[in-house]
Amino acid sequence: MTSFNDRERAFEAKFAADEDLQFRITARRNRLVGHWAAQQMGLTPEETEAYAKSVVQADFEEAGDEDVIRKLLGDLVSAGVDIDELGVRTALEAKMAEARRQFIEEAN
């Protein structure tokens, strides 16, 4: 029975580590896409940092990416940037790939 308990604990530990890694990658993606959006809106470096943090915080409103997409799209359109939802989703996907690549590079 001990080996079964050990395997169960190992599986739970791996699951927790995987979830933590996914959370960190998503948070980095949100920061990166926040920087991208701030650049599109012509924000100053100080405003860019604050905006990137607000994008990360927006992800805590509900599960999934819809809260982040709504924030980005609303802010970009309000700033006069010519973009649609597909453009925001494309940027989000590109920044997710960049965030994953950064974590892989840091691990090596």
Side-chain angles (χ1 to χ4, degrees):
M1 192 67 164
T2 302
S3 66
F4 179 75
N5 290 339
D6 290 344
R7 288 179 62 186
E8 183 178 19
R9 276 192 290 272
F11 178 76
E12 289 172 356
K14 175 154 178 26
F15 178 80
D18 289 348
E19 288 296 308
D20 178 61
L21 180 60
Q22 186 58 43
F23 173 81
R24 291 174 34 204
I25 289 171
T26 301
R28 181 164 304 179
R29 176 210 60 188
N30 291 340
R31 184 177 55 81
L32 291 169
V33 80
H35 279 267
W36 168 83
Q39 181 182 15
Q40 301 297 310
M41 293 185 283
L43 301 182
T44 67
E46 295 80 22
E47 292 170 328
T48 296
E49 285 304 316
Y51 185 75
K53 288 178 185 176
S54 75
V55 173
V56 171
Q57 290 173 341
D59 196 25
F60 298 121
E61 292 176 13
E62 62 187 51
D65 294 334
E66 296 308 311
D67 45 0
V68 174
I69 292 168
R70 269 194 312 275
K71 175 175 182 41
L72 290 167
L73 187 57
D75 293 346
L76 287 164
V77 169
S78 293
V81 177
D82 184 26
I83 195 162
D84 60 4
E85 185 176 333
L86 180 60
V88 171
R89 287 183 185 276
T90 301
L92 215 55
E93 289 175 17
K95 296 305 177 185
M96 179 61 96
E98 185 177 339
R100 284 185 196 279
R101 187 173 53 252
Q102 287 179 4
F103 269 94
I104 290 169
E105 288 171 359
E106 288 173 7
N108 293 330

